[in-house]
Amino acid sequence: MQPGTAPSTQLVRRVNASAMLKAMRGAGILTGTELMAATGLSRATVISICDELVRLGWLQELENQRGAGDYVKGRPARRFAFDDSAASVIGIDIGANKITAIVADMAGNPLSQVTLPFRAYNVPADERADVLDRIVADALEKAGISADSVLAVSVGVAAPVSRQGEVLTAQEFWKSFDVRRIVSERHGWHVLLENDANLAALAERWQGSAQGVDNLVVMLAGDRLGSGILESGRLLHGQLGGFGELGYLDTVDGVGDTYGIAHYARLWGRELLDSGTETTLGALCDGNPEALTAEMVFRAAAEGDQASRDVLDRMAHRMARVVGSISTLVNPELVVIAGAVAASAHALIPAMEKQVQDFTFTPPRLATSELGDGIVSLGAIRHALDHVEEHALDLYPASLPQHVTAD
């Protein structure tokens, strides 16, 4: 045997198993012939891997058609079904103000979603860890799932993350709040870490307006701007996880920083109130500028308030410059504005579409996400499922019979 033959064969088998699970998830009952067509694998490979996945608890082999009473000529086809309930994964979004967790089955169907706020903007790391424990326990209870059925947990953070899942930042906060270590030590789960905007990109391509789009930018645009970038269907990280970081906007004329749509809607709306400009914003916030929200500014504009419309025009011009600069760098087919501000930001798209052509020779299509503020947690589910599929032959679902052991 040539050196390296065994590992290579093992790797090919893992890749083939991953392809099989991808083909079977959500597809119902499939025969060996149908799996050959879906994966391009040989019959011998398909049947061998199906047998192994059945043994490991991932697939169920169903009674053949003849046994079920449906007459077929020749040898009856073997039929397999993916067991959606074989195990579960958890997706977590750790934001500045709150944590959101989603528990999902192996088909990616959410079984529960829970959000808990922090009591203050900058609470200590130990307190954040305790909140994380509570939300995970609550989410598992609501999903009716036991902790030992969890095969992977993916966590989204607002910081650059390397391909190896390491947070690469000088911020003291992430040095003190080692999420992977905390969750792994407290629960024994395999923990993945990823940048929040990267997870938003995975979610948008999976279930959002970017399905089927291989060259994509998804921009989280609430209080801060951050982007996740897919090129030829591949999530880009760069050398140290900084691909998609938008610090360069500090030097872009007409932009100047990385603050997002929600931040500037509040700021410019309050400037209107402080200047005494005629506007309906005062009535919406009961005369208290500090109570003004971004949603109030968008609402006032929709109801015909000219001053608020001027704010949105100013916002659209700024965001057109942002999109133009990143489009010049990476040339995406589609840019999606995402996060909690997405529903309101839809009002900016027509003006942005007209103006972005002034700032790039390769203007993309523009859209807003419909996945809401749970987009990062949903992307974390996709991230965790990708990990499980890739390592299907090494991970064993809770449905694995007690008398069966892996080789």
Side-chain angles (χ1 to χ4, degrees):
M1 180 180 294
Q2 295 293 327
T5 300
S8 297
T9 302
Q10 219 172 34
L11 176 61
V12 169
R13 195 161 181 81
R14 286 194 178 95
V15 170
N16 289 341
S18 176
M20 294 271 288
L21 289 180
K22 281 183 170 68
M24 296 204 69
R25 189 194 307 121
I29 300 171
L30 293 178
T31 65
T33 300
E34 290 168 333
L35 283 169
M36 289 168 57
T39 62
L41 301 175
S42 69
R43 180 176 295 278
T45 299
V46 164
I47 295 303
S48 173
I49 292 177
C50 278
D51 285 341
E52 188 163 5
L53 292 175
V54 168
R55 181 176 66 86
L56 294 178
W58 289 113
L59 303 184
Q60 297 174 337
E61 182 170 6
L62 307 180
E63 190 175 17
N64 65 53
Q65 288 175 300
R66 183 175 294 164
D70 296 327
Y71 176 77
V72 292
K73 293 182 179 179
R75 179 183 297 177
R78 295 178 66 181
R79 304 187 304 155
F80 302 92
F82 181 70
D83 186 359
D84 296 348
S85 63
S88 57
V89 294
I90 303 176
I92 301 173
D93 174 19
I94 301 180
N97 302 306
K98 62 185 179 181
I99 296 179
T100 297
I102 297 176
V103 176
D105 64 18
M106 295 314 300
N109 300 311
L111 304 176
S112 68
Q113 178 171 335
V114 179
T115 298
L116 280 178
F118 297 118
R119 62 175 175 81
Y121 181 80
N122 193 19
V123 299
D126 288 345
E127 186 173 336
R128 285 180 181 260
D130 291 341
V131 173
L132 181 57
D133 277 350
R134 291 201 305 272
I135 193 174
V136 167
D138 192 14
L140 287 172
E141 182 179 359
K142 290 184 176 180
I145 295 297
S146 63
D148 62 2
S149 77
V150 177
L151 290 187
V153 177
S154 176
V155 182
V157 297
V161 179
S162 72
R163 293 184 186 90
Q164 292 72 39
E166 299 291 340
V167 175
L168 300 177
T169 176
Q171 296 174 358
E172 289 298 322
F173 172 75
W174 292 112
K175 291 182 180 179
S176 63
F177 188 43
D178 186 345
V179 180
R180 286 205 303 178
R181 179 186 58 78
I182 290 170
V183 175
S184 180
E185 288 181 355
R186 294 190 180 191
H187 302 281
W189 295 324
H190 183 80
V191 182
L192 310 166
L193 207 61
E194 184 55 274
N195 172 261
D196 54 358
N198 285 349
L199 293 179
L202 293 181
E204 200 64 40
R205 189 168 184 264
W206 181 31
Q207 294 190 1
S209 57
Q211 293 179 55
V213 177
D214 287 338
N215 297 290
L216 168 70
V217 172
V218 173
M219 190 170 294
L220 294 177
D223 287 323
R224 290 278 185 174
L225 297 174
S227 65
I229 299 172
L230 289 170
E231 197 279 324
S232 299
R234 181 171 60 95
L235 191 63
L236 299 181
H237 289 87
Q239 180 188 1
L240 300 175
F243 205 99
E245 291 296 307
L246 300 178
Y248 76 90
L249 292 176
D250 293 351
T251 63
V252 174
D253 186 35
V255 182
D257 55 46
T258 59
Y259 286 108
I261 292 173
H263 170 86
Y264 274 108
R266 292 192 303 269
L267 177 64
W268 292 340
R270 289 168 186 170
E271 287 177 355
L272 290 178
L273 294 173
D274 292 340
S275 68
T277 302
E278 183 179 346
T279 175
T280 61
L281 290 176
L284 291 178
C285 66
D286 295 326
N288 178 11
E290 294 303 313
L292 185 69
T293 65
E295 289 74 15
M296 291 176 185
V297 178
F298 280 97
R299 175 183 166 186
E303 293 174 350
D305 180 62
Q306 187 57 50
S308 296
R309 286 183 174 180
D310 292 343
V311 166
L312 297 198
D313 287 343
R314 186 179 175 187
M315 185 79 70
H317 181 74
R318 182 177 188 272
M319 289 303 299
R321 286 177 176 267
V322 171
V323 171
S325 68
I326 199 167
S327 296
T328 298
L329 290 171
V330 301
N331 189 23
E333 174 188 342
L334 174 67
V335 174
V336 180
I337 305 298
V341 75
S344 299
H346 186 72
L348 303 176
I349 296 298
M352 288 175 62
E353 288 175 332
K354 291 179 181 178
Q355 296 181 48
V356 73
Q357 301 177 55
D358 297 333
F359 305 114
T360 179
F361 290 115
T362 56
R365 292 190 293 114
L366 302 179
T368 53
S369 175
E370 297 182 356
L371 298 180
D373 60 1
I375 186 172
V376 173
S377 298
L378 187 62
I381 291 296
R382 177 67 269 168
H383 190 220
L385 289 173
D386 288 344
H387 172 82
V388 171
E389 286 176 353
E390 184 179 348
H391 299 87
L393 300 183
D394 306 309
L395 300 171
Y396 313 112
S399 63
L400 180 67
Q402 294 299 310
H403 65 279
V404 177
T405 57
D407 293 332

